[in-house]
Amino acid sequence: MRTSLIAGHGRSPHEHAVYGLIARTREGMLFTDNIRCPGHVSDLAAAVLQLAVNDEATGLQYVAGPDTVSRHEPGCSIPVRDGLDASRLPAGPRGGCVPEGACDICLDTHATRNRRTRAPRGAREFLRR
C-alpha cells in the first residue's frame, strides 16, 4: 500500500509539524505549491484493511483522500479545527528548496477506488471543526 499525507486525531507528523510551526519551536514553512491528497488515518486504515482481504488486490495499491490540496491548505485547517491561530503559520512556494523534487505528488487511486465500499473523506471534510 502507498498512501499520501495522513492526518487525524492530532497525532500525525503533519499535525505535529503545524503545531511546532505555530509555537515557533520548529523551523520551516508549509508549501503552497506542494500538492497532496491527504487522508484521515481512520479512513485510510479501513481502506487498507479492506484491500488486504480482497483477493483481487495484488501488487502496489494506492490509497489517498479525494481532495487535491497544497500542504498549506490543510495546514491552515488544523489550527482552526484545534482553536489555534492559523495566521502564525509561515507559508511559501517550495521552488528553490532543498531537496528538490516534484511539487504535485498526488496518487492515482482509481484502481483501488472500485475495490472499496467506503471512500476516504477528503481533507476539507475531516478537518472541519
Side-chain angles (χ1 to χ4, degrees):
M1 299 290 167
R2 181 167 181 220
T3 190
S4 186
L5 193 61
I6 301 171
H9 309 302
R11 297 185 303 257
S12 75
H14 185 67
E15 288 164 298
H16 285 286
V18 167
Y19 301 145
L21 289 169
I22 287 174
R24 305 283 196 247
T25 58
R26 179 185 177 119
E27 292 186 19
M29 71 174 121
L30 294 178
F31 298 128
T32 54
D33 60 351
N34 189 227
I35 308 302
R36 303 289 181 108
C37 296
H40 190 279
V41 65
S42 297
D43 296 346
L44 297 175
V48 167
L49 181 61
Q50 187 175 10
L51 288 168
V53 299
N54 183 336
D55 289 339
E56 298 173 17
T58 60
L60 185 59
Q61 302 290 313
Y62 296 112
V63 179
D67 293 342
T68 302
V69 296
S70 71
R71 275 191 174 266
H72 182 256
E73 185 178 339
C76 287
S77 299
I78 290 165
V80 169
R81 176 197 68 191
D82 297 343
L84 302 171
D85 184 4
S87 69
R88 294 181 51 88
L89 283 170
R94 180 183 169 135
C97 289
V98 175
E100 291 196 21
C103 285
D104 184 343
I105 50 176
C106 288
L107 300 175
D108 182 355
T109 61
H110 287 89
T112 57
R113 201 174 303 152
N114 295 334
R115 293 188 179 109
R116 296 189 313 259
T117 56
R118 183 174 150 232
R121 294 168 288 168
R124 292 183 184 109
E125 179 182 349
F126 69 75
L127 288 172
R128 272 186 280 186
R129 246 186 198 229

